[in-house]
């Protein structure tokens, strides 16, 4: 059986050695020489059609996927590759750019004095986009950033997918400003004191994705009546307002309930997300994982994202 383990551009190099589970192999230098020796603790990307690789069984060709619901994720082209490490083989296909899983580092955990550097570092490490937490100091007891910061991130990374979470008293007043500043998705709280339907409809009318967020104590039933306006539902597995909190286990049941009741929407999870908790969330039905401290404080963000992706896909395969 095969696991989908990677997202990214497939290098045209036929066969090369890369660090174990490092996403860098999918974005390597085009001048890399094929056929490099495999060192201990390494795996290889191998062209299964290459007869010089007798250990690689043939795999079918796939058409590029058009199933992605999230923006800024064009279908990939090219040949299938096998990523293999004893004892198993793992298929990477251009048609399998993990259409159901996104890993978005939360820039609340970035170094504010080096925000541009950290945002670039996250994208270069293999992130599928960036998550931006907006807090007004009233809806939650913290104050973060405004539209100008988001605009600066967009200017620095014009092609990045930007997922914005508004933790504000009046998202109806602020959603248009963040849409104009460059948000691709705007998530508002179902607990907010505003006309939720009108706010969601306005986000969509601007050509962006709209979603609702549920605090840990808020039941899934509060989503009733909004399903026609939802592209995404965000389940909070910490109390919103501060990073670095522990994962709230009760969020897993809510993820499963949303997945069962609203199969058409993307399900994001925010709070205490690591490789281990992210895998559990994915197994429950989540497909957008928002991680702050775990990724930005990692010794090597590229390895942290790759390890998270590996554990997530394994969990989704086994259902654990």
């Amino acid at each position: 059986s095969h696991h989908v383990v990677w997202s990214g551009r497939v290098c045209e190099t036929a066969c090369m050695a890369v660090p174990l589970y490092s996403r860098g192999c999918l974005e390597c230098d085009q001048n890399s020489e094929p056929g490099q020796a495999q060192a201990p603790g390494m795996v290889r990307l191998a062209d299964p059609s290459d007869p010089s690789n007798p250990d690689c069984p043939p795999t079918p060709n796939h058409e590029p996927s058009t199933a992605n619901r999230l923006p800024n994720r064009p279908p990939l082209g090219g040949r299938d590759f096998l990523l293999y490490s004893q004892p198993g083989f793992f298929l990477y296909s251009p048609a399998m750019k993990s259409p159901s899983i996104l890993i978005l580092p939360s820039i609340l955990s970035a170094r504010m004095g080096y925000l541009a550097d950290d945002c670039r570092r996250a994208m270069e490490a293999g992130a599928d986009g960036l998550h931006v937490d907006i807090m007004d100091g009233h809806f939650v007891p913290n104050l973060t950033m405004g539209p100008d910061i988001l605009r600066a991130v967009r200017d620095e990374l014009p092609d990045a997918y930007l997922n914005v979470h508004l933790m504000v008293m009046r998202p109806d007043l602020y959603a248009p400003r963040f849409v104009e500043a460059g948000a691709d998705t705007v998530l508002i709280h179902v607990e907010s004191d505003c006309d939720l339907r009108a706010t969601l409809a306005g986000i969509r009318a601007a050509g962006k994705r709209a979603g609702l967020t549920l605090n840990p104590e808020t039941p899934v039933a509060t989503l009733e009546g909004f399903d026609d306006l939802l592209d995404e539902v965000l389940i909070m597995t910490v109390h919103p307002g501060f990073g670095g909190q522990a994962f709230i286990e009760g969020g897993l049941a809510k993820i499963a309930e949303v997945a069962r009741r609203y199969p058409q929407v993307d399900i994001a999870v925010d709070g205490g997300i690591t490789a281990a908790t992210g895998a559990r969330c994915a197994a429950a039905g989540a497909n957008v994982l928002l991680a702050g401290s775990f990724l930005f404080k990692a010794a090597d963000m590229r390895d942290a994202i790759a390890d998270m992706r590996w554990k997530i896909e394994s969990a989704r395969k086994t259902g654990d």
Side-chain angles (χ1 to χ4, degrees):
S1 61
H2 300 298
H3 294 275
V4 186
V5 295
W6 254 227
S7 68
R9 174 177 56 81
V10 179
C11 175
E12 291 301 318
T13 302
C15 186
M16 60 173 293
V18 295
L20 184 63
Y21 306 148
S22 169
R23 186 176 181 273
C25 59
L26 300 181
E27 296 181 348
C28 67
D29 191 308
Q30 289 296 312
N31 294 322
S32 298
E33 291 295 324
Q36 293 177 339
Q38 185 173 2
M42 309 285 272
V43 293
R44 291 198 299 179
L45 271 177
D47 179 356
S49 66
D50 183 354
S52 67
N53 290 314
D55 292 332
C56 297
T59 59
N61 288 323
H62 296 267
E63 293 299 320
S65 173
T66 58
N68 298 336
R69 287 171 288 162
L70 291 158
N72 296 335
R73 305 185 67 199
L76 300 178
R79 299 169 293 179
D80 290 350
F81 283 76
L82 284 179
L83 175 69
Y84 68 95
S85 177
Q86 295 299 326
F89 288 86
F90 302 93
L91 177 66
Y92 175 82
S93 169
M96 303 170 86
K97 183 180 159 49
S98 191
S100 58
I101 291 291
L102 270 74
I103 296 174
L104 308 180
S106 175
I107 68 172
L108 181 63
S109 295
R111 301 169 299 169
M112 289 298 107
Y114 301 91
L115 185 59
D117 291 343
D118 278 5
C119 289
R120 281 195 303 270
R121 178 166 64 95
M123 295 304 296
E124 290 168 359
D128 296 298
L130 298 171
H131 179 69
V132 185
D133 286 315
I134 307 300
M135 307 177 191
D136 64 358
H138 298 282
F139 186 79
V140 292
N142 198 4
L143 186 65
T144 57
M145 58 196 80
D148 287 344
I149 299 296
L150 181 69
R151 185 176 293 107
V153 173
R154 170 58 73 208
D155 289 344
E156 188 69 28
L157 296 166
D159 297 324
Y161 169 58
L162 300 181
N163 179 283
V164 175
H165 175 197
L166 297 184
M167 289 170 270
V168 301
M169 293 293 291
R170 293 291 304 274
D172 53 329
L173 302 181
Y174 285 95
R177 296 175 63 183
F178 283 95
V179 165
E180 189 275 332
D184 293 303
T185 294
V186 179
L187 304 164
I188 65 175
H189 272 262
V190 72
E191 305 90 355
S192 299
D193 185 16
C194 73
D195 186 333
L196 294 176
R197 285 195 63 86
T199 305
L200 294 170
I203 295 167
R204 278 189 157 190
K208 306 300 181 181
R209 301 175 70 254
L212 287 175
T213 303
L214 301 180
N215 278 338
E217 299 83 3
T218 303
V220 174
T222 57
L223 297 175
E224 292 178 3
F226 298 105
D227 54 305
D228 60 317
L229 293 171
L230 292 179
D231 298 297
E232 184 169 318
V233 170
L234 170 57
I235 305 297
M236 294 300 298
T237 47
V238 298
H239 294 95
F242 295 93
Q245 300 180 57
F247 180 81
I248 296 175
E249 295 286 334
L252 294 170
K254 291 172 73 172
I255 293 168
E257 184 178 355
V258 172
R260 183 176 66 254
R261 296 176 63 170
Y262 303 98
Q264 78 281 8
V265 306
D266 293 297
I267 302 175
V269 189
D270 188 5
I273 297 299
T274 65
T277 58
R280 296 174 66 197
C281 291
N287 65 321
V288 182
L289 300 177
L290 315 176
S293 302
F294 175 73
L295 295 179
F296 277 105
K297 295 182 180 179
D300 188 316
M301 190 186 294
R302 184 185 298 270
D303 287 347
I305 290 176
D307 180 60
M308 177 180 283
R309 220 179 277 284
W310 176 266
K311 286 184 170 65
I312 289 166
E313 297 299 350
S314 297
R316 293 176 67 235
K317 178 69 176 180
T318 62
D320 294 336

mmCIF file of all heavy atoms in Angstrom, residues 87-127:
data_model
loop_
_atom_site.group_PDB
_atom_site.id
_atom_site.type_symbol
_atom_site.label_atom_id
_atom_site.label_comp_id
_atom_site.label_asym_id
_atom_site.label_seq_id
_atom_site.Cartn_x
_atom_site.Cartn_y
_atom_site.Cartn_z
ATOM 1 N N PRO A 87 11.357 -0.444 5.393
ATOM 2 C CA PRO A 87 11.099 -1.568 4.504
ATOM 3 C C PRO A 87 10.078 -1.278 3.415
ATOM 4 O O PRO A 87 9.696 -2.205 2.704
ATOM 5 C CB PRO A 87 10.535 -2.606 5.476
ATOM 6 C CG PRO A 87 9.756 -1.778 6.437
ATOM 7 C CD PRO A 87 10.513 -0.489 6.577
ATOM 8 N N GLY A 88 9.568 -0.038 3.270
ATOM 9 C CA GLY A 88 8.453 0.165 2.365
ATOM 10 C C GLY A 88 8.712 1.185 1.290
ATOM 11 O O GLY A 88 9.682 1.934 1.322
ATOM 12 N N PHE A 89 7.828 1.196 0.301
ATOM 13 C CA PHE A 89 7.855 2.187 -0.765
ATOM 14 C C PHE A 89 6.705 3.161 -0.536
ATOM 15 O O PHE A 89 5.631 2.780 -0.085
ATOM 16 C CB PHE A 89 7.656 1.514 -2.136
ATOM 17 C CG PHE A 89 8.832 0.717 -2.584
ATOM 18 C CD1 PHE A 89 8.980 -0.591 -2.183
ATOM 19 C CD2 PHE A 89 9.795 1.277 -3.409
ATOM 20 C CE1 PHE A 89 10.073 -1.328 -2.592
ATOM 21 C CE2 PHE A 89 10.879 0.543 -3.826
ATOM 22 C CZ PHE A 89 11.028 -0.779 -3.420
ATOM 23 N N PHE A 90 6.915 4.424 -0.868
ATOM 24 C CA PHE A 90 5.887 5.425 -0.679
ATOM 25 C C PHE A 90 5.742 6.225 -1.967
ATOM 26 O O PHE A 90 6.703 6.787 -2.467
ATOM 27 C CB PHE A 90 6.255 6.349 0.486
ATOM 28 C CG PHE A 90 6.442 5.587 1.761
ATOM 29 C CD1 PHE A 90 7.686 5.135 2.135
ATOM 30 C CD2 PHE A 90 5.345 5.292 2.554
ATOM 31 C CE1 PHE A 90 7.862 4.406 3.288
ATOM 32 C CE2 PHE A 90 5.504 4.557 3.717
ATOM 33 C CZ PHE A 90 6.766 4.119 4.089
ATOM 34 N N LEU A 91 4.525 6.261 -2.488
ATOM 35 C CA LEU A 91 4.279 6.890 -3.779
ATOM 36 C C LEU A 91 4.180 8.400 -3.641
ATOM 37 O O LEU A 91 3.483 8.913 -2.782
ATOM 38 C CB LEU A 91 2.977 6.356 -4.371
ATOM 39 C CG LEU A 91 2.531 6.966 -5.704
ATOM 40 C CD1 LEU A 91 3.522 6.596 -6.800
ATOM 41 C CD2 LEU A 91 1.136 6.500 -6.055
ATOM 42 N N TYR A 92 4.882 9.111 -4.500
ATOM 43 C CA TYR A 92 4.634 10.545 -4.668
ATOM 44 C C TYR A 92 4.170 10.758 -6.092
ATOM 45 O O TYR A 92 4.866 10.399 -7.032
ATOM 46 C CB TYR A 92 5.894 11.401 -4.424
ATOM 47 C CG TYR A 92 5.573 12.834 -4.740
ATOM 48 C CD1 TYR A 92 4.935 13.612 -3.787
ATOM 49 C CD2 TYR A 92 5.797 13.365 -5.994
ATOM 50 C CE1 TYR A 92 4.549 14.899 -4.084
ATOM 51 C CE2 TYR A 92 5.401 14.647 -6.298
ATOM 52 C CZ TYR A 92 4.782 15.412 -5.334
ATOM 53 O OH TYR A 92 4.384 16.678 -5.651
ATOM 54 N N SER A 93 2.999 11.315 -6.255
ATOM 55 C CA SER A 93 2.463 11.574 -7.584
ATOM 56 C C SER A 93 2.145 13.048 -7.748
ATOM 57 O O SER A 93 1.717 13.697 -6.798
ATOM 58 C CB SER A 93 1.176 10.764 -7.796
ATOM 59 O OG SER A 93 0.521 11.203 -8.977
ATOM 60 N N PRO A 94 2.317 13.602 -8.956
ATOM 61 C CA PRO A 94 1.902 14.981 -9.205
ATOM 62 C C PRO A 94 0.421 15.180 -8.947
ATOM 63 O O PRO A 94 -0.024 16.281 -8.678
ATOM 64 C CB PRO A 94 2.230 15.198 -10.681
ATOM 65 C CG PRO A 94 3.222 14.157 -11.018
ATOM 66 C CD PRO A 94 2.944 12.986 -10.118
ATOM 67 N N ALA A 95 -0.360 14.101 -9.055
ATOM 68 C CA ALA A 95 -1.795 14.196 -8.823
ATOM 69 C C ALA A 95 -2.138 14.146 -7.345
ATOM 70 O O ALA A 95 -3.289 14.219 -6.976
ATOM 71 C CB ALA A 95 -2.518 13.052 -9.546
ATOM 72 N N MET A 96 -1.130 14.024 -6.491
ATOM 73 C CA MET A 96 -1.374 13.794 -5.069
ATOM 74 C C MET A 96 -0.733 14.883 -4.231
ATOM 75 O O MET A 96 -0.054 14.625 -3.260
ATOM 76 C CB MET A 96 -0.845 12.415 -4.684
ATOM 77 C CG MET A 96 -1.452 11.287 -5.508
ATOM 78 S SD MET A 96 -0.660 9.696 -5.292
ATOM 79 C CE MET A 96 -1.521 9.088 -3.867
ATOM 80 N N LYS A 97 -0.953 16.125 -4.615
ATOM 81 C CA LYS A 97 -0.400 17.238 -3.842
ATOM 82 C C LYS A 97 -1.259 17.448 -2.612
ATOM 83 O O LYS A 97 -1.812 18.506 -2.370
ATOM 84 C CB LYS A 97 -0.324 18.514 -4.676
ATOM 85 C CG LYS A 97 0.320 19.681 -3.916
ATOM 86 C CD LYS A 97 0.376 20.907 -4.769
ATOM 87 C CE LYS A 97 0.513 22.171 -3.968
ATOM 88 N NZ LYS A 97 1.543 22.141 -2.962
ATOM 89 N N SER A 98 -1.415 16.384 -1.837
ATOM 90 C CA SER A 98 -2.122 16.410 -0.570
ATOM 91 C C SER A 98 -3.312 17.362 -0.604
ATOM 92 O O SER A 98 -3.348 18.336 0.123
ATOM 93 C CB SER A 98 -1.163 16.821 0.548
ATOM 94 O OG SER A 98 -1.742 16.627 1.804
ATOM 95 N N PRO A 99 -4.301 17.123 -1.496
ATOM 96 C CA PRO A 99 -5.401 18.068 -1.628
ATOM 97 C C PRO A 99 -6.209 18.207 -0.357
ATOM 98 O O PRO A 99 -7.001 19.132 -0.236
ATOM 99 C CB PRO A 99 -6.236 17.479 -2.768
ATOM 100 C CG PRO A 99 -5.921 16.027 -2.757
ATOM 101 C CD PRO A 99 -4.480 15.944 -2.363
ATOM 102 N N SER A 100 -6.045 17.305 0.610
ATOM 103 C CA SER A 100 -6.848 17.366 1.813
ATOM 104 C C SER A 100 -6.070 17.814 3.039
ATOM 105 O O SER A 100 -6.624 17.890 4.122
ATOM 106 C CB SER A 100 -7.474 16.000 2.090
ATOM 107 O OG SER A 100 -6.466 15.023 2.227
ATOM 108 N N ILE A 101 -4.782 18.099 2.926
ATOM 109 C CA ILE A 101 -4.004 18.509 4.095
ATOM 110 C C ILE A 101 -3.165 19.743 3.763
ATOM 111 O O ILE A 101 -2.417 19.742 2.800
ATOM 112 C CB ILE A 101 -3.066 17.378 4.585
ATOM 113 C CG1 ILE A 101 -3.878 16.239 5.179
ATOM 114 C CG2 ILE A 101 -2.067 17.900 5.601
ATOM 115 C CD1 ILE A 101 -4.558 16.587 6.487
ATOM 116 N N LEU A 102 -3.327 20.779 4.587
ATOM 117 C CA LEU A 102 -2.460 21.945 4.507
ATOM 118 C C LEU A 102 -1.826 22.165 5.874
ATOM 119 O O LEU A 102 -2.488 21.995 6.901
ATOM 120 C CB LEU A 102 -3.225 23.207 4.129
ATOM 121 C CG LEU A 102 -3.355 23.533 2.636
ATOM 122 C CD1 LEU A 102 -4.361 22.598 1.991
ATOM 123 C CD2 LEU A 102 -3.803 24.973 2.451
ATOM 124 N N ILE A 103 -0.564 22.537 5.882
ATOM 125 C CA ILE A 103 0.141 22.916 7.105
ATOM 126 C C ILE A 103 0.471 24.397 6.987
ATOM 127 O O ILE A 103 1.209 24.811 6.093
ATOM 128 C CB ILE A 103 1.414 22.089 7.302
ATOM 129 C CG1 ILE A 103 1.052 20.614 7.504
ATOM 130 C CG2 ILE A 103 2.218 22.609 8.500
ATOM 131 C CD1 ILE A 103 2.259 19.686 7.576
ATOM 132 N N LEU A 104 -0.106 25.190 7.895
ATOM 133 C CA LEU A 104 0.046 26.635 7.853
ATOM 134 C C LEU A 104 0.691 27.118 9.149
ATOM 135 O O LEU A 104 0.038 27.127 10.198
ATOM 136 C CB LEU A 104 -1.315 27.318 7.681
ATOM 137 C CG LEU A 104 -2.212 26.846 6.529
ATOM 138 C CD1 LEU A 104 -3.511 27.642 6.520
ATOM 139 C CD2 LEU A 104 -1.495 26.967 5.195
ATOM 140 N N PRO A 105 1.940 27.531 9.122
ATOM 141 C CA PRO A 105 2.545 28.129 10.316
ATOM 142 C C PRO A 105 1.834 29.424 10.694
ATOM 143 O O PRO A 105 1.494 30.238 9.835
ATOM 144 C CB PRO A 105 3.990 28.398 9.877
ATOM 145 C CG PRO A 105 4.228 27.460 8.736
ATOM 146 C CD PRO A 105 2.912 27.368 8.024
ATOM 147 N N SER A 106 1.613 29.588 11.982
ATOM 148 C CA SER A 106 0.956 30.785 12.490
ATOM 149 C C SER A 106 1.990 31.837 12.820
ATOM 150 O O SER A 106 2.839 31.642 13.697
ATOM 151 C CB SER A 106 0.135 30.447 13.737
ATOM 152 O OG SER A 106 -0.401 31.621 14.297
ATOM 153 N N ILE A 107 1.916 32.981 12.158
ATOM 154 C CA ILE A 107 2.966 33.983 12.304
ATOM 155 C C ILE A 107 2.887 34.729 13.633
ATOM 156 O O ILE A 107 3.760 35.531 13.936
ATOM 157 C CB ILE A 107 2.980 34.969 11.123
ATOM 158 C CG1 ILE A 107 1.741 35.868 11.118
ATOM 159 C CG2 ILE A 107 3.116 34.224 9.811
ATOM 160 C CD1 ILE A 107 1.825 36.979 10.082
ATOM 161 N N LEU A 108 1.877 34.426 14.450
ATOM 162 C CA LEU A 108 1.860 34.968 15.805
ATOM 163 C C LEU A 108 3.093 34.509 16.585
ATOM 164 O O LEU A 108 3.552 35.195 17.500
ATOM 165 C CB LEU A 108 0.590 34.534 16.534
ATOM 166 C CG LEU A 108 0.392 35.031 17.963
ATOM 167 C CD1 LEU A 108 0.288 36.556 17.999
ATOM 168 C CD2 LEU A 108 -0.854 34.405 18.590
ATOM 169 N N SER A 109 3.634 33.354 16.207
ATOM 170 C CA SER A 109 4.811 32.805 16.882
ATOM 171 C C SER A 109 6.118 33.207 16.207
ATOM 172 O O SER A 109 7.184 32.796 16.657
ATOM 173 C CB SER A 109 4.710 31.273 16.936
ATOM 174 O OG SER A 109 3.615 30.871 17.735
ATOM 175 N N ALA A 110 6.028 33.978 15.140
ATOM 176 C CA ALA A 110 7.243 34.443 14.470
ATOM 177 C C ALA A 110 7.881 35.561 15.287
ATOM 178 O O ALA A 110 7.276 36.123 16.203
ATOM 179 C CB ALA A 110 6.913 34.936 13.060
ATOM 180 N N ARG A 111 9.110 35.900 14.927
ATOM 181 C CA ARG A 111 9.797 37.012 15.570
ATOM 182 C C ARG A 111 9.331 38.303 14.907
ATOM 183 O O ARG A 111 9.600 38.537 13.736
ATOM 184 C CB ARG A 111 11.315 36.851 15.425
ATOM 185 C CG ARG A 111 11.884 35.563 16.024
ATOM 186 C CD ARG A 111 13.325 35.375 15.599
ATOM 187 N NE ARG A 111 13.443 35.256 14.141
ATOM 188 C CZ ARG A 111 14.602 35.297 13.480
ATOM 189 N NH1 ARG A 111 15.733 35.453 14.144
ATOM 190 N NH2 ARG A 111 14.612 35.183 12.167
ATOM 191 N N MET A 112 8.630 39.129 15.665
ATOM 192 C CA MET A 112 8.027 40.315 15.073
ATOM 193 C C MET A 112 9.072 41.263 14.475
ATOM 194 O O MET A 112 8.814 41.937 13.478
ATOM 195 C CB MET A 112 7.184 41.053 16.106
ATOM 196 C CG MET A 112 5.904 40.336 16.481
ATOM 197 S SD MET A 112 4.746 40.113 15.090
ATOM 198 C CE MET A 112 4.905 38.340 14.779
ATOM 199 N N GLY A 113 10.264 41.310 15.078
ATOM 200 C CA GLY A 113 11.311 42.160 14.531
ATOM 201 C C GLY A 113 11.914 41.631 13.249
ATOM 202 O O GLY A 113 12.636 42.355 12.544
ATOM 203 N N TYR A 114 11.616 40.367 12.929
ATOM 204 C CA TYR A 114 12.150 39.723 11.725
ATOM 205 C C TYR A 114 11.007 39.019 10.988
ATOM 206 O O TYR A 114 11.175 37.920 10.466
ATOM 207 C CB TYR A 114 13.236 38.712 12.093
ATOM 208 C CG TYR A 114 14.406 39.319 12.835
ATOM 209 C CD1 TYR A 114 14.408 39.380 14.226
ATOM 210 C CD2 TYR A 114 15.500 39.851 12.154
ATOM 211 C CE1 TYR A 114 15.470 39.948 14.917
ATOM 212 C CE2 TYR A 114 16.560 40.418 12.831
ATOM 213 C CZ TYR A 114 16.537 40.452 14.216
ATOM 214 O OH TYR A 114 17.596 41.020 14.891
ATOM 215 N N LEU A 115 9.852 39.669 10.970
ATOM 216 C CA LEU A 115 8.657 39.012 10.451
ATOM 217 C C LEU A 115 8.808 38.600 8.992
ATOM 218 O O LEU A 115 8.445 37.483 8.618
ATOM 219 C CB LEU A 115 7.445 39.930 10.620
ATOM 220 C CG LEU A 115 6.093 39.327 10.221
ATOM 221 C CD1 LEU A 115 5.798 38.074 11.026
ATOM 222 C CD2 LEU A 115 4.984 40.363 10.401
ATOM 223 N N ALA A 116 9.334 39.474 8.167
ATOM 224 C CA ALA A 116 9.499 39.130 6.750
ATOM 225 C C ALA A 116 10.420 37.930 6.591
ATOM 226 O O ALA A 116 10.131 37.004 5.824
ATOM 227 C CB ALA A 116 10.045 40.325 5.978
ATOM 228 N N ASP A 117 11.530 37.921 7.326
ATOM 229 C CA ASP A 117 12.468 36.799 7.253
ATOM 230 C C ASP A 117 11.805 35.502 7.680
ATOM 231 O O ASP A 117 11.976 34.452 7.046
ATOM 232 C CB ASP A 117 13.691 37.065 8.137
ATOM 233 C CG ASP A 117 14.573 38.187 7.598
ATOM 234 O OD1 ASP A 117 14.422 38.537 6.409
ATOM 235 O OD2 ASP A 117 15.396 38.706 8.364
ATOM 236 N N ASP A 118 11.041 35.556 8.784
ATOM 237 C CA ASP A 118 10.419 34.334 9.293
ATOM 238 C C ASP A 118 9.312 33.842 8.373
ATOM 239 O O ASP A 118 9.110 32.627 8.223
ATOM 240 C CB ASP A 118 9.882 34.566 10.705
ATOM 241 C CG ASP A 118 10.961 34.443 11.770
ATOM 242 O OD1 ASP A 118 12.138 34.271 11.396
ATOM 243 O OD2 ASP A 118 10.632 34.521 12.973
ATOM 244 N N CYS A 119 8.572 34.749 7.752
ATOM 245 C CA CYS A 119 7.537 34.325 6.802
ATOM 246 C C CYS A 119 8.165 33.654 5.587
ATOM 247 O O CYS A 119 7.681 32.605 5.117
ATOM 248 C CB CYS A 119 6.690 35.519 6.376
ATOM 249 S SG CYS A 119 5.585 36.148 7.666
ATOM 250 N N ARG A 120 9.246 34.237 5.073
ATOM 251 C CA ARG A 120 9.941 33.604 3.946
ATOM 252 C C ARG A 120 10.502 32.248 4.365
ATOM 253 O O ARG A 120 10.432 31.272 3.608
ATOM 254 C CB ARG A 120 11.070 34.504 3.452
ATOM 255 C CG ARG A 120 10.628 35.648 2.575
ATOM 256 C CD ARG A 120 11.820 36.270 1.846
ATOM 257 N NE ARG A 120 12.846 36.738 2.787
ATOM 258 C CZ ARG A 120 12.873 37.954 3.301
ATOM 259 N NH1 ARG A 120 11.929 38.826 2.979
ATOM 260 N NH2 ARG A 120 13.841 38.304 4.132
ATOM 261 N N ARG A 121 11.065 32.193 5.564
ATOM 262 C CA ARG A 121 11.648 30.935 6.054
ATOM 263 C C ARG A 121 10.575 29.844 6.139
ATOM 264 O O ARG A 121 10.818 28.683 5.773
ATOM 265 C CB ARG A 121 12.271 31.169 7.428
ATOM 266 C CG ARG A 121 12.879 29.934 8.074
ATOM 267 C CD ARG A 121 13.763 30.320 9.255
ATOM 268 N NE ARG A 121 13.000 30.940 10.327
ATOM 269 C CZ ARG A 121 12.516 30.279 11.380
ATOM 270 N NH1 ARG A 121 12.722 28.969 11.489
ATOM 271 N NH2 ARG A 121 11.858 30.915 12.329
ATOM 272 N N ALA A 122 9.397 30.202 6.594
ATOM 273 C CA ALA A 122 8.313 29.223 6.699
ATOM 274 C C ALA A 122 7.913 28.690 5.327
ATOM 275 O O ALA A 122 7.745 27.472 5.136
ATOM 276 C CB ALA A 122 7.116 29.841 7.406
ATOM 277 N N MET A 123 7.771 29.578 4.356
ATOM 278 C CA MET A 123 7.379 29.131 3.025
ATOM 279 C C MET A 123 8.468 28.295 2.381
ATOM 280 O O MET A 123 8.194 27.276 1.730
ATOM 281 C CB MET A 123 7.035 30.335 2.148
ATOM 282 C CG MET A 123 5.816 31.128 2.614
ATOM 283 S SD MET A 123 4.321 30.120 2.786
ATOM 284 C CE MET A 123 4.066 29.615 1.073
ATOM 285 N N GLU A 124 9.714 28.681 2.571
ATOM 286 C CA GLU A 124 10.824 27.916 2.002
ATOM 287 C C GLU A 124 10.994 26.570 2.700
ATOM 288 O O GLU A 124 11.563 25.641 2.126
ATOM 289 C CB GLU A 124 12.114 28.726 2.109
ATOM 290 C CG GLU A 124 12.134 29.942 1.186
ATOM 291 C CD GLU A 124 13.275 30.903 1.486
ATOM 292 O OE1 GLU A 124 14.056 30.613 2.442
ATOM 293 O OE2 GLU A 124 13.387 31.928 0.793
ATOM 294 N N ALA A 125 10.476 26.450 3.920
ATOM 295 C CA ALA A 125 10.574 25.191 4.662
ATOM 296 C C ALA A 125 9.495 24.194 4.266
ATOM 297 O O ALA A 125 9.488 23.065 4.757
ATOM 298 C CB ALA A 125 10.498 25.463 6.164
ATOM 299 N N GLY A 126 8.584 24.600 3.393
ATOM 300 C CA GLY A 126 7.576 23.658 2.921
ATOM 301 C C GLY A 126 6.168 23.937 3.386
ATOM 302 O O GLY A 126 5.274 23.106 3.188
ATOM 303 N N ALA A 127 5.926 25.088 4.010
ATOM 304 C CA ALA A 127 4.571 25.428 4.438
ATOM 305 C C ALA A 127 3.663 25.607 3.226
ATOM 306 O O ALA A 127 4.112 26.012 2.145
ATOM 307 C CB ALA A 127 4.584 26.703 5.278
#
